[in-house]
Amino acid sequence: MKNFSLVGKSVRRLDAIEKVTGKATFTTDMSLPGMLYARVLRSPHPHAKIMHIDTSEAEKLPGVKGVATWQNTPREPFNATGAMAFDLPDMPPPILDQYIFDNVVRYVGDEVAAVAAVSEQVAEEAVKLIKVDYEPLPAVFDPFEAMKPEAPDIHRCPVAKNMVGGPITFEFGNIEEGFQQCDSIIEETFKVPVQKQVQLETQAALAQVSPNGKITVWSTTQAPHPAKMILSKIFGVPQSKLRVLNPPYVGGGFGVRIGLSGKAEAIAIALAKITGSPVKIVYTREEDFTSTDTRHAGQITVKLGAIGTKLHALKINAVLNSGAYCSFGCEVPAVCGMLSLNVYHLPFPYKNYTGFSVYTNRTPAGAFRGFGNPQSNFALQSVVDMMAEKLGIDPLQFQLQNITQAGDQWFLPYPCTTSSLPECIEEGAKSIGWERRGKLNKPGDTKLRGIGMAVGTHGSNSFPGNVDYGGSIILVQQDGSVTVSSGVPDIGSGTSTTLCQITGEAMGVKLEEINLVFGDTLNTPFEIGSHASRTLFQAGRVIMAAADDAKNQILEYAAGLLEVPAERLDIKDSLIYVKDQKEGKSISVREAAFHAHQRNRQFIGVGRANPMNAQPWHAHFAEVEVDMETGFVRVIKVAAAHDCGKAINPQIVEGQIEGGVLMGVGYATSEEILFNEKGKPLHNSIHKYMIPTAEDTPEIEAIIVETDEPSGPYGAKGVGETSLVPTAGAIANAVYNATGIRFTEIPLTPERVFKKIREHKKM
Amino acid sequence: MITIKFTLNGEPVEVIVAPSDMLADILREKLHLTGTKKGCGKGECGACTVIMNGEAVNSCMIPALKALDAVIETIEGIGSTDRFHPLQESFMDEGAIQCGFCTPGMIMSAKALLDKKLCPTREEIKEAIAGNICRCTGYVKIEKAVRAAAQKLTGLEGSK
């Protein structure tokens, strides 16, 4: 590996000082003179037609400045996610099934009206004064029920009853022929729950509409440019006059705001237009639970065939619950199949996937860290574990014999160039103590220990599913310091630090001389946002291109000053020097920039890049303890070994892995939103929703096994989502190892586990 | 409306409150100290944690009237850019910060612990921050940062 000055160093995060002193600004902290506060009236019904809305009492309440309903807001359909903004030309057009407010409500929590008032309290009071006459419609909550002919139509669906778009299919070879050749086949169906992002800052926006029609909206979005495009369509305002920005920090994302933040931006702008004042909306935590996208729940069936100990045929089917609106209902089923199908290398690719999502009258599902991959990975890794047992082979050896390796052919339209998955498996096994597996319990133990593993892959951007590009502009200031722009936000993943490290490395400029402009549509070229594990990978590549451009201009200019050809010059620590001379001439970037300035010139770098995608790999090992008397599953340790390419900032990479592991522990053992028979979510607060706390955290060992990925910036790949992907599978396999009971449904709550222990008469 | 006085970050303050006002809103809206975050408004996430009379409390659950004559510390009062509190320093060094929304509350809970107990066990640290939800970090580096700060503070105490 090369000798870097900034890349590969765990430099202190550049946002750290603001964040530890309480000075970091988030949308929820913003205020403007004359600002009003908004509150939303939400549907108590899972499905109903609004026959009449009477807002007169609400409007009479002192302090109320405006009320928005479907009758006085744009009737422009949209999809609140980036699905509407980065669709590809050769794919079906995006499904636009939402309005700011509609005259039909489709889930408990759907938007009915909103009030702007001088305080949140007044707005809240006014919301209660709005009288709505609903005509309840039949509702359906289960995707299989929703596909039956007698089910109510939630939206017009041209392909099949309540199906979101059409089925996503990947088909290679005659799958039935493949299975006929196998000597071992296992087929099993798994159920996965609704999981919630629970990012710490709820959805929020502050909108200002100027009298000349320009709109500025500060918000919690993880995708400002796509949000700009969506809002431009809703309000009929040119994109050039619509500025979406983070202020600049965002309290987490995890996929919940790839596009609009719920509907916060649209509601705030609508009310700002009605009232003529700036309007701020902050979702309550309950609204964030009931009325913003969740992870798709669903059912995944895996059929796996082997000849000897070599996998031979793989078929996956997924039926996902989309809830009341499309969101990413077409993209998530695609990712659900596309990644799991490529974890294993089959001699002939007998691989088959069909998956789709189905409308129901529940909270919409959308993007959530992993984006369909954790669902299918849990199912696939469980079946692989079952197959290893059936064949009488150590699961670890079985994995090593069958995983896709660097250079293997697969069906994705980009090559698998690098993989350290075999080393990840080795390192993870060492960390967990794999050799102890099967020797952890003695007869009579009521608390049984087990060890399990799972492997997986993911992507490093949205290619080939979406438009995925970006641009960057680098301005070398008159004192030689560097302003670099990128349209990606920093939702906590460290972008505003690592992109500066990349700029500094690429230009040879000191880190303290660099300032990143980010998360602001006015000052940055188009970018699809911070999601899809793409921020560092994609924006990093783009910035490298801009840095190269700026650096070349500096070197060419300096060549004249130093009277040395540009190709013999380089920059280090903001000093331009002659490469092949130890004691040669030099000039600082500062001097060169000012010299140029006095001669009417500025160095401006422009960068564009459309890299292919790259595949990160990971192997997770879990040790658990199952209390056979209570059904409580305690995760003792997770060893998470990751091929993230080059770790630009290892400490930040570790943080990504550790956080994702714990979210995966929650997915596997406790997190779930259930709905009652009337479609009301039962888990609508942090207290009711069992999110892991510090006390629930197992030992987590994050292990980085670097590769040098040629398509990534300095060899980096994505790492934002990977650690959530194989965690549930590793834990479920560990629980099987402990108890001999195969769980086909997560989360492994004490209730669910205890019931199964009773059924299996294990105690 | 009632006027109340209390000590905020070492300075006397006087503020007019309504009986229904909560301390978190007074701090954020009236005193413009937005370092104290609100993540739920129901005492469930810990983002609004401040130290009141030596105890870590969820300021969104404390009626403002209860602040009368109290001694209150917020994230803005525990250190500055030229003299960070050891917890602020160790949160930065250990990489215990991601989105940063939980960070002020997390630091205040940890400070309340370290103010009382210089050498807490790992279990005591976990217990002290169990009411502070962090969705980004998996708490690994946060716990490490609190331990590092405790060590620094013990060193400081020892050198006095």
Side-chain angles (χ1 to χ4, degrees), chain A residues 12 28-29 197 654 671, chain B residues 28 37 93 98 135 141:
Chain A
R12 187 190 263 189
T28 41
D29 301 329
Q197 295 84 352
E654 283 169 17
E671 295 183 31
Chain B
R28 286 176 56 80
K37 303 298 175 197
D93 290 341
Q98 287 191 29
R135 197 58 159 162
K141 297 197 188 304

Side-chain angles (χ1 to χ4, degrees), chain A residues 29 32 55 90 189 242 260 281 303 351 437 467 537 550 578 604-605 659 664 672 693 726 732:
Chain A
D29 301 329
L32 289 174
T55 60
D90 51 353
T189 296
L242 218 159
L260 302 188
I281 178 168
K303 187 175 178 185
K351 292 181 176 179
R437 190 169 178 268
V467 163
F537 178 84
V578 185
I604 301 174
E672 178 174 34
T693 70

Side-chain angles (χ1 to χ4, degrees), chain A residues 629-678:
Chain A
E629 289 173 333
T630 63
F632 183 76
V633 175
R634 185 163 76 92
V635 180
I636 292 164
K637 175 173 176 174
V638 177
H642 284 245
D643 168 8
C644 60
K646 175 74 186 168
I648 302 296
N649 183 319
Q651 190 183 61
I652 288 178
V653 172
E654 283 169 17
Q656 288 296 304
I657 295 173
E658 291 158 359
V661 165
L662 192 63
M663 253 184 185
V665 169
Y667 188 48
T669 62
S670 62
E671 295 183 31
E672 178 174 34
I673 295 180
L674 297 172
F675 295 78
N676 73 8
E677 71 289 348
K678 288 176 181 157

Side-chain angles (χ1 to χ4, degrees), chain B residues 5-20:
Chain B
K5 291 180 186 176
F6 58 95
T7 305
L8 178 61
N9 297 326
E11 302 278 336
V13 291
E14 205 175 297
V15 58
I16 300 165
V17 304
S20 61

Side-chain angles (χ1 to χ4, degrees), chain A residues 12-13 19-20 22 26 28-29 196-197 252 285 492 651 654-656 658-659 671 685-687 692 697, chain B residues 28-29 35 37 39 44 75 88-89 92-95 97-99 101 126-127 130 135-139 141:
Chain A
R12 187 190 263 189
R13 288 176 70 114
K19 287 178 176 177
V20 293
F26 296 81
T28 41
D29 301 329
K196 195 76 194 94
Q197 295 84 352
R285 181 57 64 181
Q651 190 183 61
E654 283 169 17
Q656 288 296 304
E658 291 158 359
E671 295 183 31
S685 70
I686 288 174
H687 228 73
T697 306
Chain B
R28 286 176 56 80
E29 309 286 334
K37 303 298 175 197
E44 297 181 353
I75 189 69
Q88 293 173 311
E89 196 76 53
M92 292 194 281
D93 290 341
E94 299 294 338
I97 306 153
Q98 287 191 29
C99 84
F101 203 82
K126 286 186 171 197
E127 195 189 337
R135 197 58 159 162
C136 298
T137 65
Y139 307 102
K141 297 197 188 304

Side-chain angles (χ1 to χ4, degrees), chain A residues 560-635:
Chain A
L561 298 178
L562 296 172
E563 295 173 325
V564 177
E567 50 281 10
R568 283 179 56 205
L569 298 177
D570 203 352
I571 311 177
K572 198 180 178 190
D573 293 332
S574 300
L575 193 74
I576 306 158
Y577 68 100
V578 185
K579 277 187 280 190
D580 46 12
Q581 278 178 342
K582 280 229 163 90
E583 306 278 328
K585 303 179 213 174
S586 68
I587 182 176
S588 66
V589 175
R590 182 192 186 98
E591 286 166 314
F594 191 70
H595 193 278
H597 161 69
Q598 289 191 313
R599 286 150 190 86
N600 305 310
R601 180 147 182 221
Q602 180 175 20
F603 309 122
I604 301 174
V606 177
R608 295 184 184 86
N610 301 312
M612 300 297 255
N613 209 333
Q615 218 70 10
W617 296 92
H618 34 263
H620 281 198
F621 292 75
E623 180 169 351
V624 303
E625 182 180 81
V626 184
D627 187 331
M628 300 298 279
E629 289 173 333
T630 63
F632 183 76
V633 175
R634 185 163 76 92
V635 180

Side-chain angles (χ1 to χ4, degrees), chain A residues 426-607:
Chain A
E426 197 183 310
E427 293 291 319
K430 214 184 290 170
S431 169
I432 205 78
W434 183 256
E435 71 288 346
R436 297 182 299 125
R437 190 169 178 268
K439 301 171 199 158
L440 296 162
N441 306 306
K442 43 184 201 311
D445 282 352
T446 56
K447 288 182 178 172
L448 299 179
R449 289 212 175 191
I451 292 175
M453 71 172 290
V455 306
T457 185
H458 202 69
S460 300
N461 65 17
S462 296
F463 176 82
N466 294 123
V467 163
D468 195 320
Y469 72 100
S472 172
I473 297 168
I474 286 183
L475 304 174
V476 181
Q477 300 293 346
Q478 290 66 50
D479 63 355
S481 63
V482 169
T483 308
V484 53
S485 69
S486 174
V488 294
D490 189 342
I491 57 172
S493 55
T495 319
S496 55
T497 302
T498 47
L499 292 180
C500 289
Q501 286 180 260
I502 283 176
T503 309
E505 189 71 51
M507 288 189 70
V509 170
K510 289 179 189 166
L511 192 61
E512 55 270 27
E513 306 254 304
I514 300 165
N515 183 32
L516 180 75
V517 174
F518 58 101
D520 181 351
T521 61
L522 190 69
N523 298 319
T524 63
F526 181 82
E527 247 294 344
I528 71 168
S530 188
H531 51 92
S533 305
R534 67 180 295 283
T535 318
L536 176 87
F537 178 84
Q538 180 74 20
R541 270 298 290 242
V542 169
I543 284 174
M544 277 180 81
D548 276 354
D549 186 14
K551 185 178 172 182
N552 286 337
Q553 291 171 34
I554 296 169
L555 293 181
E556 267 163 36
Y557 192 83
L561 298 178
L562 296 172
E563 295 173 325
V564 177
E567 50 281 10
R568 283 179 56 205
L569 298 177
D570 203 352
I571 311 177
K572 198 180 178 190
D573 293 332
S574 300
L575 193 74
I576 306 158
Y577 68 100
V578 185
K579 277 187 280 190
D580 46 12
Q581 278 178 342
K582 280 229 163 90
E583 306 278 328
K585 303 179 213 174
S586 68
I587 182 176
S588 66
V589 175
R590 182 192 186 98
E591 286 166 314
F594 191 70
H595 193 278
H597 161 69
Q598 289 191 313
R599 286 150 190 86
N600 305 310
R601 180 147 182 221
Q602 180 175 20
F603 309 122
I604 301 174
V606 177

